């Protein structure tokens, strides 16, 4: 079997199309079995005298193989929905999970790493090795290996409960999403919705075997309705449904309501943090971030709220008066996004539709490749025949000085109702093997755009462009690093503030008129975005920004305070209410419970959602250098890459920023 199993062969790019469902379990079983044997051998041979190559790099090799295989499975699982695939994939995930938690508890291995770190040789290690070793030791510390065996058992059971409750939280949100939809057959209800939005809803109806249009509770569908629908009742109904998810009251309370799940989850996280020597989970969460203390984070967020107050007041006032002029005298929560969008259109004299025509995906991708070449000196060359997990996925080879340095997979289109507008993931981290061979990094960019139709290519609005640049930034950070070890070379290894920082610098380009013009090309005429429209777009995106700012601050602070102040007797909804009052801008339909469906809370971003705002502020400071020296200035691009990308996770972000901005 193993000689025919493509997952067990050596490959540079994954052999996606050769993989069958029946290959998965045997491959993962074989990889785990081999890893187990090899680990035992490594431990035995390293006991007398642990070394970098034969301990760190040897274990790295084993972990890279298993993790790479799991990511391939994850990608395949996004398009192969047949039960044979899905069942095999979840079985493989279970097996890997089990093996990894066993490895995380391997105290013999941990002792070898510690002995290496304490040895005289380690004092001579370069910064990269020191940092990689520190991170490996930290992982074992957080897995509880410095605790007594009784405490270790407690930690294991807390970790199991935490993943169980995180899963339950998401499952309840998902159940609420599935339970609600609105089928519309009367077109007049859709007045105000752009054609692209109507087309999406029509496609959703067709997928459900219906005529007309179907509204769902996906984030995209929610945003579309509250932003564009002229029908006020529809907006109200949508907003109430969206923020009541996982908030059922009544006899089914325990099965559908997330408040209790959240409370237990917070309790477990709190206990876990205390077991590991922290006073609360927020303190544990910032330990690997740029902030030194939890107070620093809270002060930062409060300061940002204060800085935003006058703009909040101005924008709210503008909404009130604009609404009144158009017959809405009592502005309700479900009117705000709608009126704000009308103001943007009014101020700029333009709609998103006029903008999109200048940004067909094909042109944008070509220009992004040229942008990467100009700024970082790297070629992106498309490989039309490369093997992928879906026919829409495109593969680009990155070359520097004619040498291949990595591959970027771009998965452009939304296929099902997936959450979010896009994401990026590392399929393989860059590393140098013990034999000195570089393994090139692989990154995946998922952007969930509307596929082309018979008459129109895929066109991007400003938000989609921003998201594309953001995720492209994550991928560049993953692909352009020179860091030689897995622990410091991939986006998955970076602290959240560092990884979001580079992406948010890339986003900043989308707010520059000259960059937008350069990126554009009308889908019919090929003409660049006219100056006049570019200017209007700039006004458009700088109008009524308070709502986005406020919601970023609110979610960051709610998430942080839930973890930091846990145990003070307040319920999650109490914390939400008090932070919301402090931000003082956003309104919610009466009895809704937004916190019950706030997904970042239960992700890896738990207590770290604030890092978006944190790194956003730093990103704007860094971007000023591009504004001064030129958006397409290769010297600035090189300085940026050297400061923030080349070293991976070797140096603190603040040090890099000081170097880049030439200040201390
Ligand atoms: Zn991001």
């Amino acid at each position: 079997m193993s000689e025919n199993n493509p997952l067990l062969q050596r490959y540079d790019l994954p052999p996606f199309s050769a993989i069958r469902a029946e290959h998965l379990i045997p491959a993962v079983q074989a990889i785990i079995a081999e890893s187990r044997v090899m680990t035992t051998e490594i431990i035995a041979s390293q006991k007398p005298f642990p070394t970098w190559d034969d301990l760190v790099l040897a274990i790295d090799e084993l972990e890279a193989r298993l993790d790479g295989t799991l990511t391939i499975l994850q990608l395949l699982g996004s398009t192969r929905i047949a039960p044979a695939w899905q069942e095999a994939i979840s079985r493989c995930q279970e097996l890997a999970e089990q093996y990894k938690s066993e490895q995380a508890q391997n105290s013999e291995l941990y002792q070898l790493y510690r002995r290496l770190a304490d040895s005289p040789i380690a004092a001579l290690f370069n910064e990269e090795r020191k940092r990689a070793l520190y991170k490996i030791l930290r992982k074992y510390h957080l897995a509880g290996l410095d605790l007594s065996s009784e405490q270790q058992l407690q930690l294991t059971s807390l970790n199991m409960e935490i993943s169980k409750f995180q899963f339950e939280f998401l499952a309840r949100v998902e159940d609420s999403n599935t339970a609600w939809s609105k089928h519309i057959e009367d077109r007049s209800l859709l007045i105000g919705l752009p054609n692209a939005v109507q087309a999406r809803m029509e496609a959703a109806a067709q997928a459900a075997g219906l005529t007309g249009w179907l509204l769902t509770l996906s984030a995209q569908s929610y945003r579309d309705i509250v932003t564009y629908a002229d029908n006020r009742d529809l907006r109200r109904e949508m907003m109430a449904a969206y923020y009541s998810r996982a908030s059922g009251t009544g006899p089914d309370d325990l099965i559908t309501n997330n408040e209790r799940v959240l409370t237990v989850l917070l309790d477990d996280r709190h206990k876990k943090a205390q077991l590991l020597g922290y006073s609360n989970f927020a303190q544990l969460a910032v330990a690997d971030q740029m902030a030194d203390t939890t107070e620093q984070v809270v002060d930062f967020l409060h300061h940002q709220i204060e800085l935003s107050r006058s703009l909040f007041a101005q924008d709210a006032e503008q909404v009130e008066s604009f609404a009144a002029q158009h017959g809405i005298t009592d502005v309700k929560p479900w009117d705000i996004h709608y009126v704000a969008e009308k103001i943007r259109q009014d101020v700029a004299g333009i709609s998103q539709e006029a903008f999109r025509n200048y940004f067909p995906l094909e042109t944008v991708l070509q220009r992004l490749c040229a942008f990467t070449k100009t700024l970082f000196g790297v070629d992106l060359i498309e490989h039309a025949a490369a093997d992928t997990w879906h026919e829409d996925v495109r593969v680009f080879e990155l070359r520097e000085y004619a040498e291949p340095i990595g591959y970027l997979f771009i998965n452009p289109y939304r296929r099902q109702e997936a959450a979010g507008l896009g994401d990026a993931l590392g399929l393989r981290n860059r590393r140098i093997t013990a034999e000195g061979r570089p393994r090139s990094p692989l990154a995946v960019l998922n952007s969930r755009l509307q596929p082309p139709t018979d008459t129109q290519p895929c066109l991007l609005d400003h938000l989609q462009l921003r998201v594309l640049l953001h995720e492209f930034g994550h991928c560049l950070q993953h692909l352009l690093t020179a860091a030689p070890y897995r622990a410091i070379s991939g986006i998955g290894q970076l602290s959240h503030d560092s990884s979001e920082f580079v992406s948010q610098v890339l986003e900043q380009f989308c707010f520059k008129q000259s960059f937008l013009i350069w990126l554009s090309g009308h889908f019919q005429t090929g003409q660049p975005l006219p100056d006049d429209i570019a200017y209007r777009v700039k006004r458009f995106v700088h109008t009524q920004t308070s709502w986005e700012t406020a919601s970023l601050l609110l979610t960051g602070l709610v998430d942080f305070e839930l973890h930091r102040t846990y145990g003070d007797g307040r319920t999650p909804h109490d914390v939400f209410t008090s932070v919301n009052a402090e931000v003082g801008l956003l309104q919610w339909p009466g009895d809704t419970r937004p916190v019950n469906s706030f997904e970042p809370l239960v992700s890896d971003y738990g207590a770290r959602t604030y890092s978006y705002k944190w790194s956003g502020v730093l990103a704007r400071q860094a971007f000023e250098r591009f504004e001064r020296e030129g958006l397409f200035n290769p010297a600035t691009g090189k300085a940026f890459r050297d400061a923030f990308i080349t070293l991976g996770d070797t140096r603190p972000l603040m040090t890099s920023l000081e170097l880049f901005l030439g200040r201390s």
Side-chain angles (χ1 to χ4, degrees):
M1 182 73 190
S2 81
E3 56 274 18
N4 300 325
N5 194 326
L7 283 166
L8 294 173
Q9 313 304 318
R10 279 200 162 274
Y11 49 81
D12 187 28
L13 288 180
F16 289 106
S17 58
I19 302 168
R20 305 271 164 269
E22 59 270 24
H23 291 138
L24 309 186
I25 297 176
V28 169
Q29 279 171 334
I31 292 171
I32 291 175
E34 257 174 63
S35 300
R36 226 181 234 129
V37 172
M38 297 288 289
T39 305
T40 313
E41 282 174 14
I42 292 168
I43 292 173
S45 74
Q46 291 292 289
K47 258 195 184 134
F49 186 62
T51 67
W52 180 265
D53 279 9
D54 295 329
L55 173 65
V56 181
L57 295 189
I59 294 288
D60 234 25
E61 184 87 37
L62 301 178
E63 290 181 353
R65 192 175 179 212
L66 179 59
D67 284 345
T69 308
L70 292 172
T71 315
I72 293 173
L73 265 52
Q74 182 190 337
L75 294 170
L76 287 167
S78 66
T79 52
R80 276 117 174 115
I81 48 169
W85 279 94
Q86 293 297 325
E87 283 158 21
I89 290 169
S90 58
R91 179 68 192 133
C92 289
Q93 284 163 343
E94 270 169 39
L95 290 169
E97 197 77 20
Q98 211 178 338
Y99 172 69
K100 284 179 170 198
S101 64
E102 188 185 303
Q103 280 293 87
Q105 300 297 323
N106 191 328
S107 60
E108 278 186 300
L109 206 48
Y110 178 43
Q111 292 314 322
L112 288 177
Y113 283 117
R114 284 189 61 162
R115 278 178 47 211
L116 177 63
D118 294 339
S119 70
I121 309 173
L124 304 172
F125 281 169
N126 61 19
E127 289 308 310
E128 289 163 331
R129 286 192 180 189
K130 280 183 184 156
R131 176 74 182 156
L133 198 48
Y134 163 81
K135 291 184 76 175
I136 292 167
L137 292 174
R138 171 106 184 125
K139 201 175 70 188
Y140 282 104
H141 173 75
L142 292 178
L145 289 207
D146 294 323
L147 300 175
S148 71
S149 48
E150 190 192 333
Q151 287 172 320
Q152 270 186 46
L153 282 175
Q154 276 174 30
L155 185 65
T156 309
S157 93
L158 283 172
N159 279 335
M160 276 165 61
E161 272 193 26
I162 288 171
S163 20
K164 185 180 123 201
F165 289 124
Q166 288 182 347
F167 178 82
E168 270 199 31
F169 186 98
L170 293 174
R172 286 165 192 224
V173 175
E174 192 46 45
D175 285 347
S176 304
N177 285 347
T178 338
W180 191 96
S181 65
K182 190 174 172 72
H183 180 210
I184 290 183
E185 286 185 293
D186 173 5
R187 190 173 210 138
S188 71
L189 286 172
L190 304 178
I191 294 174
L193 297 175
N195 292 338
V197 172
Q198 294 196 22
R200 255 198 303 272
M201 290 166 176
E202 205 172 346
Q206 277 165 13
L210 299 165
T211 55
W213 301 268
L214 193 69
L215 276 54
T216 68
L217 282 186
S218 72
Q220 168 103 53
S221 167
Y222 163 73
R223 244 192 324 266
D224 288 339
I225 296 296
V226 296
T227 310
Y228 300 114
D230 283 352
N231 190 301
R232 203 180 184 194
D233 284 335
L234 190 62
R235 296 199 306 268
R236 183 189 48 73
E237 189 181 345
M238 190 69 174
M239 192 176 198
Y242 192 72
Y243 287 112
S244 303
R245 289 178 300 161
S247 306
T249 48
D252 285 347
D253 179 0
L254 286 180
I255 310 165
T256 59
N257 194 307
N258 258 342
E259 177 135 358
R260 194 179 289 245
V261 177
L262 191 54
T263 310
V264 192
L265 178 65
L266 290 169
D267 187 57
D268 282 345
R269 282 182 176 170
H270 188 74
K271 285 179 183 149
K272 171 178 172 167
Q274 292 201 320
L275 209 48
L276 290 166
Y278 296 93
S279 25
N280 53 58
F281 190 78
Q283 201 184 52
L284 169 62
V286 299
D288 295 324
Q289 310 292 310
M290 204 165 124
D292 295 321
T293 61
T294 54
E295 286 70 29
Q296 219 180 327
V297 174
V298 175
D299 288 349
F300 164 79
L301 291 170
H302 286 167
H303 181 58
Q304 292 299 319
I305 293 172
E306 284 314 315
L307 286 179
S308 312
R309 276 218 200 284
S310 67
L311 187 61
F312 285 0
Q314 267 175 41
D315 281 353
E317 161 61 32
Q318 198 183 16
V319 163
E320 288 281 339
S321 64
F322 191 93
Q325 287 162 27
H326 293 80
I328 305 177
T329 46
D330 54 335
V331 175
K332 297 286 186 198
W334 44 90
D335 297 322
I336 287 165
H337 294 291
Y338 172 78
V339 176
E341 177 70 13
K342 287 271 180 280
I343 295 173
R344 279 181 214 116
Q345 293 181 7
D346 191 58
V347 166
I350 192 183
S351 67
Q352 288 275 16
E353 294 279 277
F355 177 83
R356 292 170 73 239
N357 293 339
Y358 287 91
F359 294 91
L361 178 64
E362 209 44 54
T363 308
V364 171
L365 286 182
Q366 276 173 23
R367 301 282 153 83
L368 273 185
C369 293
F371 175 68
T372 312
K373 174 72 179 169
T374 308
L375 219 49
F376 303 117
V378 171
D379 289 294
L380 271 97
I381 298 148
E382 181 156 17
H383 281 221
D387 195 352
T388 67
W389 63 98
H390 189 277
E391 57 184 9
D392 291 339
V393 177
R394 302 168 59 170
V395 184
F396 294 82
E397 185 187 78
L398 277 79
R399 271 193 216 164
E400 189 166 28
Y401 310 118
E403 286 292 317
I405 56 168
Y407 291 88
L408 170 62
F409 292 79
I410 298 185
N411 178 19
Y413 306 125
R414 174 185 298 272
R415 272 179 291 274
Q416 308 127 26
E417 284 285 354
L421 295 166
D423 56 48
L425 66 117
L427 170 53
R428 182 165 70 212
N429 288 10
R430 181 179 194 274
R431 71 195 166 91
I432 310 280
T433 65
E435 297 76 39
R437 278 187 302 114
R439 293 290 279 153
S440 53
L442 312 177
V444 177
L445 192 166
N446 290 309
S447 86
R448 308 203 168 88
L449 302 165
Q450 198 62 18
T453 63
D454 295 340
T455 52
Q456 243 185 22
C458 168
L459 300 170
L460 283 79
D461 64 27
H462 190 265
L463 178 62
Q464 289 166 330
L465 206 56
R466 238 176 101 185
V467 173
L468 185 70
L469 260 289
H470 180 104
E471 306 308 340
F472 191 69
H474 281 312
C475 292
L476 288 183
Q477 196 171 16
H478 190 80
L479 296 167
L480 297 185
T481 184
Y485 311 121
R486 278 184 87 225
I488 53 170
S489 71
I491 36 173
Q493 270 58 41
L494 294 164
S495 62
H496 292 306
D497 39 23
S498 303
S499 77
E500 295 308 333
F501 168 82
V502 168
S503 287
Q504 297 204 56
V505 172
L506 268 279
E507 269 186 58
Q508 289 297 313
F509 283 87
C510 293
F511 291 93
K512 293 286 149 195
Q513 209 169 314
S514 58
F515 182 75
L516 288 176
I517 293 173
W518 187 78
L519 207 61
S520 64
H522 194 283
F523 84 96
Q524 285 160 326
T525 65
Q527 290 297 308
L529 190 68
D531 280 328
D532 163 53
I533 301 189
Y535 171 72
R536 289 160 183 270
V537 170
K538 204 176 124 185
R539 294 206 61 186
F540 187 97
V541 297
H542 284 110
T543 301
Q544 288 287 325
T545 53
S546 289
W547 314 98
E548 187 192 329
T549 308
S551 114
L552 205 57
L553 288 167
L554 174 81
T555 47
L557 193 53
V558 167
D559 171 41
F560 202 72
E561 291 299 62
L562 279 174
H563 293 94
R564 191 183 71 99
T565 65
Y566 177 79
D568 68 0
R570 294 185 297 167
T571 66
H573 188 65
D574 292 341
V575 174
F576 175 85
T577 310
S578 114
V579 173
N580 191 46
E582 187 193 334
V583 175
L585 181 69
L586 301 168
Q587 300 173 37
W588 312 84
D591 47 4
T592 52
R593 290 283 189 275
V595 79
N596 287 7
S597 55
F598 179 33
E599 298 183 35
L601 269 179
V602 300
S603 72
D604 189 40
Y605 274 85
R608 298 185 191 104
T609 316
Y610 79 86
S611 60
Y612 281 106
K613 186 67 193 172
W614 183 283
S615 52
V617 170
L618 300 178
R620 264 187 300 283
Q621 291 174 16
F623 188 69
E624 282 170 15
R625 184 165 165 190
F626 282 102
E627 289 181 308
R628 273 197 315 275
E629 298 175 1
L631 301 183
F632 301 92
N633 187 327
T636 318
K638 183 178 182 313
F640 182 78
R641 182 177 171 189
D642 289 348
F644 302 109
I645 299 179
T646 304
L647 298 176
D649 185 25
T650 309
R651 183 169 67 194
L653 177 59
M654 203 39 154
T655 314
S656 303
L657 190 64
E658 282 162 2
L659 279 169
F660 183 69
L661 294 177
R663 63 177 199 211
S664 55

